[in-house]
Every structure is written in C-alpha cells, then in structure tokens.
Amino acid sequence: MKLKALLPPRPHGESGWVGRVLTTGVAVAVLATARPAAAWVWVVLGVTFVLFVVGSVLMTARPYVSLALLATVAVSNALIAGYPQSNALVLVLVAITDVAVIDFGRRGNRPIVAVGIGVAAAYAGSAWWFEQPDTWYFSQLLWTAALTAFGLNRRQYEVQARQTEQLLEQTRLAQSEQARAAALEERGRIARDLHDVLAHSLGALSVQLEVAEALLDERGDTAGALERVRRSRRLAVQGLTEARNAVAALRADEVPELPQALAALAEQHEKDHGTAVRLTVTGGPRKLDSAVTVALLGAAREALTNAAKHAPGQTVEMRLDGVRLSVRNKGVTTGEGYGLAGMRERLALVGGTLTAGADGDDWLVVAEID
C-alpha cells in the first residue's frame, strides 16, 4: 500500500474546492428565496456575494486578503440580517466558516475572534435597528458559533493532514538514507572481502610464477616450470571461486560448508608451500550463516598466509570446534598486519571476535563467533 493511500485529503485540494462549490451553491439557493422590499438590500447581497466568492478563491494564495474580504461579507450581512426576508444570515455563516478554516500561522485564532466580535456587534445593531427580539439575536449568535466551530474543526483536520504528509515524507527520506547507508556498508564489506581473497590468491600466484621463472632462467627446468605454471592456474581458479563465495555470502546465497572449505584450503596450502597443515574438526555439524562461513574462512586464509610468510616450512595446526577456529604455527611473527586487522573488523560485523598473539613458541590466531 502506498503512503499516500493513508493520508487524508490534501488541504485546500480537491475536497476543499468541492466543499466551497457546494457552500456557494447553498448560498445561491437560499438567497434565491429572499424577498426584501428595499432595493438597496439586494445591492448589498449582490456585492457581498461577489466578495465572498473572491475571498473563497484567495483563501490559500492570499489568506489576509481573503480575511479582509470575508470579514467584510460577514459584518455587512450581519448588519442587515434583521431586515425582513433578507436571508443575509446565510452569507454571514458561509463567510465566518471560511474565515475559521484559514490557517493564520503564528497569529492563531486572533483574526477569527476579531471577526466574531465584529459580527456579534453587527447582530446587536441589526436587532436594534430592525426591532428584532432578543431571541432572534441569540439565535443568530448560536448559528454563527456552530458554523465557526465547524470551520475550526475543518482547519484542525487540514493542519493534521499537512503534518501527517510531512511526517510521512520525512519517514520516506529517512528510509531512503538508511537504504543508501546499508548499500554503502555492503559495498565496503564486498570490497574488503575481495581484497583479502585477491591479496591471498595473487600473492601465492606471484610466488609460483617467480619460481617458474627462476627454474627456466637459472636451471632450464622446463618440467618444473611447467608444474609451477599449472599450479598457478589452479591458484587463479581457486581465487575466482573464493571471490564468488565471498560475494555469494554477502548476497545470502549458498556457500560451501565450513569444514569442507577449510579442508580444501589446507590441501591447497600444502601444495603451494610444501608445508603440512593438520586440520581437526570437533563438535557436531552445525549450519552456519553464509556470512559467518566466509568470515571464518577468510580468517583461516589470512592466518595461513601469515604462517607461510613469517614461519615458512613450519607445520600449521587448524582446529574447528563449532564456531571457534584456531590456527597455530611455530615461530612468532612481529605483528598482525593489515590483513588480520581487517578480518577482526569483518568478524565483528557477524558478531565475532579475532585474537592473535604469541602462545609460548607458537603464534596463535583464534576466530570465534559469539
């Protein structure tokens, strides 16, 4: 359902114009039944009716000009309301109703009160001049008060309609900003994950190509160089697969199960670096969110990369216990580097933590989901 469907009719919109046309029609119908004896009464009725129509048209565009015209209509017709068969009361009522509908902003109801006082005084003068009884005077006041209350109620309705529309517009803008922020955050996460995947894959690929070049240049070992080139091709394919997995996780698509993905990563590391990687999986099988799987897999990949860089040839031990992954290798590095700091930030996005530091003679990295 669209937001506009929840809104009341727009103020001074189609419903406002329909109401004014109907009001004008009622005024014309009532005035058509008037039978005042004096010609000057007809002149007053005709002129003030024209002023009423103009004032109604200007209510939105020129509220204070409209106020002046409608006030003139109300007071003038209140002065002749006591004339027999003038039917001037109808113009008083429609004019005072329109005055009550106008929104005067900071001035509030003061213009309406002023017009009301003027109309009440004009009724008193008309009752005295045309010798109307007190009951007539109070009945005119009663009708005027009722129509004024109706106008005030209509104005309150229109003010609330405007406020509701403004609130819904602000809500829409806030939702748009939230969606934009979420999109930017997702792009940042994709960029960080792809950075880690590509840094790992391209780094290993570069090492293999350098070895192949050295084998050809220094030893002329074509077979050994060819094997390194084939291994480079496998690394490139693996990097593409891991990049797709990272994007799939952020899109909530299916990614490989974490134990199988870690086993494949360990096997590939052994082939690339000639270093044993012992993987131990404990605890029962558990279905993990794709984003959690990619975050833990990225932490394992970064830890293996650091082990190969800072402790080449040393056996690496990986242990997965539910949602706790630890990677241990001999030899202590001098620092975490950007990669682990980035993985710590990424794990935090899925409710996880990452610690890295010396554990005796070993270097231990632990990634865990709370």
Side-chain angles (χ1 to χ4, degrees):
M1 181 182 293
K2 295 183 179 180
L3 293 179
K4 289 184 179 180
L6 303 175
L7 292 175
R10 288 176 178 267
H12 305 305
E14 294 182 359
S15 64
W17 282 111
V18 170
R20 285 167 181 76
V21 170
L22 291 176
T23 300
T24 303
V26 170
V28 170
V30 174
L31 291 176
T33 64
R35 294 291 184 273
W40 64 268
V41 176
W42 281 110
V43 172
V44 173
L45 293 174
V47 172
T48 54
F49 177 78
V50 173
L51 294 180
F52 163 73
V53 173
V54 175
S56 295
V57 171
L58 297 178
M59 284 175 63
T60 303
R62 297 287 187 271
Y64 287 99
V65 173
S66 176
L67 170 65
L69 294 175
L70 294 174
T72 301
V73 172
V75 173
S76 298
N77 283 276
L79 284 171
I80 65 170
Y83 192 93
Q85 298 185 344
S86 67
N87 291 356
L89 176 63
V90 66
L91 286 177
V92 179
L93 298 181
V94 293
I96 198 71
T97 301
D98 277 0
V99 170
V101 170
I102 299 174
D103 184 5
F104 295 104
R106 295 180 180 179
R107 294 183 181 273
N109 294 330
R110 283 178 290 180
I112 302 172
V113 173
V115 175
I117 293 174
V119 168
Y123 279 146
S126 182
W128 174 78
W129 184 259
F130 298 109
E131 299 180 350
Q132 294 290 348
D134 292 343
T135 55
W136 176 90
Y137 175 72
F138 288 111
S139 66
Q140 309 304 295
L141 291 181
L142 182 61
W143 277 107
T144 303
L147 269 294
T148 301
F150 174 81
L152 290 173
N153 182 68
R154 175 64 187 180
R155 185 181 69 174
Q156 183 64 26
Y157 170 81
E158 295 184 352
V159 169
Q160 289 177 349
R162 284 196 297 271
Q163 292 174 346
T164 301
E165 186 170 4
Q166 291 171 358
L167 179 60
L168 289 175
E169 179 66 16
Q170 292 172 359
T171 302
R172 186 190 65 80
L173 292 176
Q175 291 174 344
S176 176
E177 287 300 316
Q178 288 177 349
R180 180 174 176 272
L184 291 175
E185 181 181 357
E186 181 180 5
R187 290 174 188 172
R189 291 174 59 192
I190 292 175
R192 288 192 295 268
D193 280 329
L194 290 180
H195 169 270
D196 289 343
V197 170
L198 295 177
H200 170 77
S201 300
L202 294 178
L205 184 61
S206 175
V207 170
Q208 296 300 322
L209 291 175
E210 287 177 1
V211 172
E213 182 182 9
L215 289 174
L216 287 173
D217 186 41
E218 298 175 6
R219 301 181 185 178
D221 186 356
T222 305
L226 181 59
E227 175 59 28
R228 294 292 177 172
V229 171
R230 288 172 178 167
R231 187 174 295 176
S232 299
R233 180 180 179 279
R234 289 195 298 271
L235 284 172
V237 172
Q238 180 190 13
L240 287 174
T241 301
E242 292 174 351
R244 291 191 187 101
N245 288 341
V247 175
L250 293 172
R251 291 177 177 172
D253 296 335
E254 292 295 328
V255 297
E257 295 293 333
L258 183 58
Q260 289 79 2
L262 288 174
L265 184 63
E267 181 181 357
Q268 190 63 48
H269 185 82
E270 290 179 345
K271 291 180 180 179
D272 295 340
H273 301 282
T275 302
V277 180
R278 292 198 290 266
L279 173 63
T280 303
V281 179
T282 60
R286 180 175 178 181
K287 181 67 175 178
L288 298 177
D289 183 79
S290 56
V292 172
T293 298
V294 171
L296 290 174
L297 188 60
R301 185 186 303 112
E302 187 65 33
L304 289 175
T305 300
N306 285 345
K309 180 179 179 181
H310 298 287
Q314 298 293 329
T315 300
V316 180
E317 295 182 359
M318 282 200 303
R319 175 180 292 273
L320 176 64
D321 184 6
V323 289
R324 186 179 188 274
L325 173 69
S326 62
V327 182
R328 180 188 297 271
N329 64 273
K330 293 291 183 182
V332 179
T333 65
T334 57
E336 297 183 21
Y338 173 78
L340 287 180
M343 285 314 306
R344 178 178 287 111
E345 179 182 352
R346 226 141 305 133
L347 281 165
L349 293 176
V350 294
T353 57
L354 183 140
T355 58
D359 184 20
D361 294 333
D362 298 339
W363 182 257
L364 179 63
V365 177
V366 179
E368 186 173 10
I369 305 299
D370 297 333

